[in-house]
Amino acid sequence: MKVVLAGGGTAGHVNPLLATAKALTERGIDVCAIGTEEGLEAELVPAAGIEFVEIPRVPLPRRIGKGLFEFPGKYKSAVAKAGQVLDEAGAAVAVGFGGFASTPLYAAARKRSVPFVVHEQNVKPGLANRYGARKAAVVALTFRSTRLSASSGTTRVVGLPLRQKIADLAALRDDAEARGSAHVAAAEELGVDPALPTLLITGGSL
């Protein structure tokens, strides 16, 4: 079986894609991912050892201008490229996590009658997943309160797929001793004092 995954632009789309790809691979399922050249996926997916194919980045113009008139041709090209990936892979199913790369995958899969799954990470679904949900075989939600459902009626709350390292850390929450040991080990690796509070300043999803 081969599964084609799509998602990207930001870590919110890429991280659950990576976690899902790893889980599928561990079950003996062959996977590949599509994404855009500009998104985080172009760096993170190949670094994780997952086959990666670039498709054109085609954002939907929000205002009237040159981009609006160029959109149909560019979008058609992106859908064609996503379809080529599905055909060459002989994909049994496709899975989208939102972002620019997912919409062409949903359209190409629908055209080929390849069933596809939409995973929504946020409480408020994005444009790509709202489009995909209309014809999805399954919509998988992180939050029960998210207002997004599959036209097929198959909507499930599955939570957020986590990378194993993050899942392992989360599992320590209920074990005070193990949590303390992990805290000390991490502080030593980072060269900070485990007895003092540590402030981590990070950027946004990019």
Side-chain angles (χ1 to χ4, degrees):
M1 178 185 287
K2 182 95 174 204
V3 177
V4 176
L5 310 172
T10 65
H13 301 305
V14 179
N15 281 330
L17 182 154
L18 293 174
T20 301
K22 187 173 188 300
L24 291 172
T25 301
E26 288 173 350
R27 287 163 174 76
I29 297 171
D30 196 12
V31 302
C32 74
I34 64 173
T36 67
E37 182 182 16
E38 298 91 343
L40 281 178
E41 65 273 20
E43 178 183 346
L44 298 180
V45 172
I50 301 164
E51 180 186 352
F52 179 71
V53 181
E54 289 179 7
I55 66 169
R57 178 181 181 272
V58 190
L60 177 66
R62 304 299 175 102
R63 60 186 66 178
I64 296 175
K66 180 182 177 184
L68 186 63
F69 297 101
E70 293 177 342
F71 175 78
K74 289 182 177 180
Y75 178 69
K76 186 177 180 180
S77 175
V79 172
K81 182 64 177 179
Q84 181 183 342
V85 175
L86 290 170
D87 292 341
E88 291 178 356
V93 65
V95 185
F97 295 86
F100 294 126
S102 293
T103 309
L105 180 68
Y106 298 148
R110 179 184 172 190
K111 189 177 292 187
R112 288 160 174 76
S113 298
V114 173
F116 62 90
V117 177
V118 170
H119 183 275
E120 178 54 58
Q121 305 86 49
N122 303 302
V123 171
K124 185 178 179 181
L127 191 61
N129 281 351
R130 293 204 305 271
Y131 165 79
R134 296 175 186 172
K135 295 296 180 180
V138 178
V139 167
L141 304 177
T142 297
F143 301 103
R144 194 172 300 279
S145 59
T146 301
R147 300 185 68 177
L148 187 69
S149 58
S151 58
S152 66
T154 308
T155 302
R156 298 177 184 167
V157 179
V158 300
L160 182 68
L162 294 175
R163 285 179 294 146
Q164 193 58 49
K165 286 185 178 180
I166 305 298
D168 291 344
L169 285 174
L172 298 177
R173 287 179 299 182
D174 299 327
D175 187 334
E177 185 176 342
R179 190 172 67 243
S181 298
H183 174 76
V184 171
E188 288 178 353
E189 187 172 337
L190 294 171
V192 298
D193 187 342
L196 295 175
T198 300
L199 175 65
L200 173 65
I201 302 174
T202 182
S205 59
L206 286 175

